[in-house]
Amino acid sequence: MNRPSHFPRRSGQTSALNTAIASAVALALVACATPPVASVHRDADPRMLHAQAGTSSVATTTTPATLATTPGTTTTGAQPLPEDEQGPRPRIRRGSGQVINREAASAPPPVLPATGGGATFNFEGESLHAVVKAILGDMLGQNYVIAPGVQGTVTLGTPKPVSPAEALNLLEMVLGWNNARLIYSGGRYNIVPADQALASGAVAPRTGAPSLARGYEVRTVPLRYISASEMEKVLKPYARPNAVVNVDNARNIISIAGTRTELENYLRTIEIFDVDWLSGMSVGVFPLTSGKANKVVADLEKVFGEQSKSPVAGMFRFMPLDGANAVLVITPQASYLDDIQEWLDRIDSAGGDIQLYSYELKYIKAKDLADRLSEVFGSGRGGNGGSTGAPSLMPGLESVELQDGANGSTADIKGSGDTGTGSTGTTGSGGEMSLGARQSGNAAVTLDVNGDRVGVSAVEETNSLLVRSTPSAWKSIKDVIARLDVMPMQVHIEAQVATVQLKGDLSYGVNWYFERAVTDAGLPSAVGRTTWSQLAGSVAGATGNPAGISPGMAWTFLGRNAAAVISALDQVTDVQLLQTPSVVVRNNAEATFNVGSRIPISSVTVNPNAGTTNTISQVQYLDTGTILKVRPRISKDGMVFLDIVQEISAPTGTPDANGNVRIDTRKLKTEAAVQSGDTVMLAGLIDDGVTRGASGFPGLSRIPIIGGLFGRQGSATSRNETIILITPSVIRNPQEARDLTDEYGARFRALEPLQRKPRDPRK
């Protein structure tokens, strides 16, 4: 059964409709696509942005670890750690230096309260009983009891009247001299022998101010910072015998007994010495690299210990930390810790066994540093530190490399340009900038440091040094490393090459054609023409004109057997060119900047078979364009010394029979000293020329004014100006490099996408 013919047509229409819809969707998606945006990362460590070039890297501190070595030597190993985890390093906590309560120590002594009334006393060898009766009974009106064992005589005089409180204080003092105590109990004063005061059962520990004491009492004082036993040692020189009643280290309390005046003095002494002793003391923990902690502490005790008999004896407390191989130092003077650290460094580096140290370098190459160390200390080289290079030749000669291959022998001339060989119509492979052959970065040297034999090995993989030496030799080597392993400075060099070309060319004259020359010149035939009847004019360009018609403005006159063409041309060319190559290069390193084309030059062509077109040619590639080579050297004051080669070249003209073209070159090679940030002129060239000429009928073409009717007159002027400027800028830290990138991002059109924010696809 045949299908109706309209079904296929509907299918074709549907297919076309689907295709159109798909195309429209694709165009819409393309229109909505986000254009690519250049990316500038800012992921560097912020702590390193302001690290100044020329500053030393942080020395890697080593952690000794016993290694298996030959008998008789103890070798330790160390692994370099990240900068924030290096250890062990000295840890110092400087205290306030306040070991007593200065405010309490400088306070004036308490004064007895003034009371009404007063009396004078004059006792000369009077009995103790009579004095007690006169003060307690007669003056103060207090009840009292005197124990049988209390006896003595008193001599006392008070020319000035004394108050009742002062009289009671005098009585307590007199009783103390006679080994008796005044105890208030049961509403009366009991006077008992001193050795029976506590045993009488009438005295109990109390807290409170000593001004509330009535007679002989006991005060219990809780201590905050100092221990009770240490406070007992402090109080004994200032207290009466048996004044310290009890020392409770578990509760850290001390109980003292005495009269009101004595208690005031005792409590004041406790207040002076019960201070935060640890906050006042300075503590330092100093790790050792070679010596043993217990031996070093023994040596320090001989110099600074309590038995040293030195002016600072007892000012230090030393404790060996055998587990960490470190020395703990405690002193009340914070500045003494610096002196002790210097002594520890001297003792620790004065001797010791041979050890193995590792030092991870930051900036300089390990092999280069090993070479510098060998130059400083003298060495014998070992390992594979040597390198191979090209053989030296006499000046002016070029090396030739001969190679045998499957296609025959080839010769490669090692000149300034890359070369290649091939048959007719082929060229050598294009050359490219090369980093040069990679040399081995491992090296091993043996040094003589202060009479010690030191082995140094450079490890290229981790850019580290392995040093096997004594601690004293290692210290000398570290001093050299700290001076050499510094952040290198960089230079941003911007060269400006400005070129101006001005050209003017004026020519005018008359060309005459006679007989057959009319048609030979491509003009219409003059056959049958009787007069000068045809006149034509034209304004022609520089190219594409008929034969005999010069560019410019031309008038043609046709006669019976001759023709005249009058032409005039005025050409003016104005070319202004500014090229600004920029490059960033490390101090004392060479940088090459090349933007241009490689032009093939056929240097040698050989036809081995006569009569055939099969030739063998050698092609040399020459770099053209903008080429900048520079090697800077930076001084401390910002002066930049430059070895610079600047070349601007371009092919001009038409190729010759061998396909070679002329290359116009402006090249500069010089050495200069420029202050960082200044622009100076390195070279300049002004080429100014005028050319005049005439051609035509001899004699007649030289007639002034009308000479142009019998020939052509021409004049040409040209002026070429070239100036080369250079601006070096020293980059001392990564932040300056960032600023330079942002500056060029604003100046370069190629970096304009950096200034635009990418469009949010959700909007």
Side-chain angles (χ1 to χ4, degrees), residues 731-748:
I731 301 176
R732 294 179 173 84
N733 56 55
Q735 183 60 48
E736 293 185 359
R738 278 191 177 185
D739 297 340
L740 178 65
T741 303
D742 296 339
E743 177 186 352
Y744 269 73
R747 291 171 53 186
F748 275 40

Side-chain angles (χ1 to χ4, degrees), residues 523-548:
L523 297 173
S525 175
V527 177
R529 190 179 299 116
T530 60
T531 61
W532 291 80
S533 58
Q534 293 190 10
L535 173 65
S538 66
V539 179
T543 60
N545 303 323

Side-chain angles (χ1 to χ4, degrees), residues 27-39:
L27 290 175
L29 291 177
V30 170
C32 296
T34 302
V37 179
S39 176

Side-chain angles (χ1 to χ4, degrees), residues 686-700:
I686 299 177
D687 184 5
D688 197 351
V690 178
T691 304
R692 291 185 176 89
S695 63
F697 193 84
L700 297 179

Side-chain angles (χ1 to χ4, degrees), residues 274-287:
D274 188 21
V275 296
D276 190 354
W277 182 81
L278 288 179
S279 65
M281 303 298 286
S282 298
V283 182
V285 179
F286 302 95

Side-chain angles (χ1 to χ4, degrees), residues 493-497 625 627-630 642-649 665-672 674 680-685 722-726:
I493 299 175
E494 182 181 49
Q496 302 179 58
V497 181
I627 303 174
L628 173 64
K629 295 182 179 180
V630 64
L642 299 171
D643 297 336
I644 187 169
V645 174
Q646 172 74 64
E647 178 180 340
I648 303 295
S649 58
T665 303
R666 293 173 296 279
K667 183 181 293 185
L668 166 68
K669 181 179 181 181
T670 185
E671 298 180 6
V674 187
V680 298
M681 185 190 72
L682 292 184
L685 173 64
T722 302
I723 185 172
I724 299 178
L725 307 174
I726 194 166

Side-chain angles (χ1 to χ4, degrees), residues 559-719:
R560 292 179 297 175
N561 57 354
V565 178
I566 302 175
S567 63
L569 173 65
D570 187 7
Q571 290 183 333
V572 177
T573 304
D574 186 356
V575 178
Q576 297 183 5
L577 181 64
L578 175 62
Q579 295 171 308
T580 308
S582 299
V583 67
V584 175
V585 58
R586 178 173 55 85
N587 186 25
N588 283 325
E590 180 177 333
T592 301
F593 180 85
N594 188 345
V595 177
S597 303
R598 295 177 60 82
I599 305 300
I601 302 297
S602 179
S603 57
V604 178
T605 301
V606 179
N607 189 349
N609 298 320
T612 65
T613 60
N614 187 18
T615 62
I616 300 176
S617 61
Q618 184 182 48
V619 178
Q620 182 178 10
Y621 288 84
L622 298 181
D623 290 328
T624 62
T626 303
I627 303 174
L628 173 64
K629 295 182 179 180
V630 64
R631 180 187 294 112
R633 179 173 61 86
I634 309 170
S635 64
K636 285 187 175 181
D637 58 354
M639 185 67 70
V640 182
F641 298 88
L642 299 171
D643 297 336
I644 187 169
V645 174
Q646 172 74 64
E647 178 180 340
I648 303 295
S649 58
T652 58
T654 58
D656 58 12
N658 295 323
N660 298 333
V661 296
R662 187 185 70 179
I663 298 177
D664 291 342
T665 303
R666 293 173 296 279
K667 183 181 293 185
L668 166 68
K669 181 179 181 181
T670 185
E671 298 180 6
V674 187
Q675 186 68 31
S676 175
D678 288 349
T679 300
V680 298
M681 185 190 72
L682 292 184
L685 173 64
I686 299 177
D687 184 5
D688 197 351
V690 178
T691 304
R692 291 185 176 89
S695 63
F697 193 84
L700 297 179
S701 62
R702 297 194 178 187
I703 298 175
I705 301 176
I706 64 174
L709 298 175
F710 304 97
R712 296 188 61 82
Q713 305 287 334
S715 65
T717 61
S718 64
R719 181 180 179 87

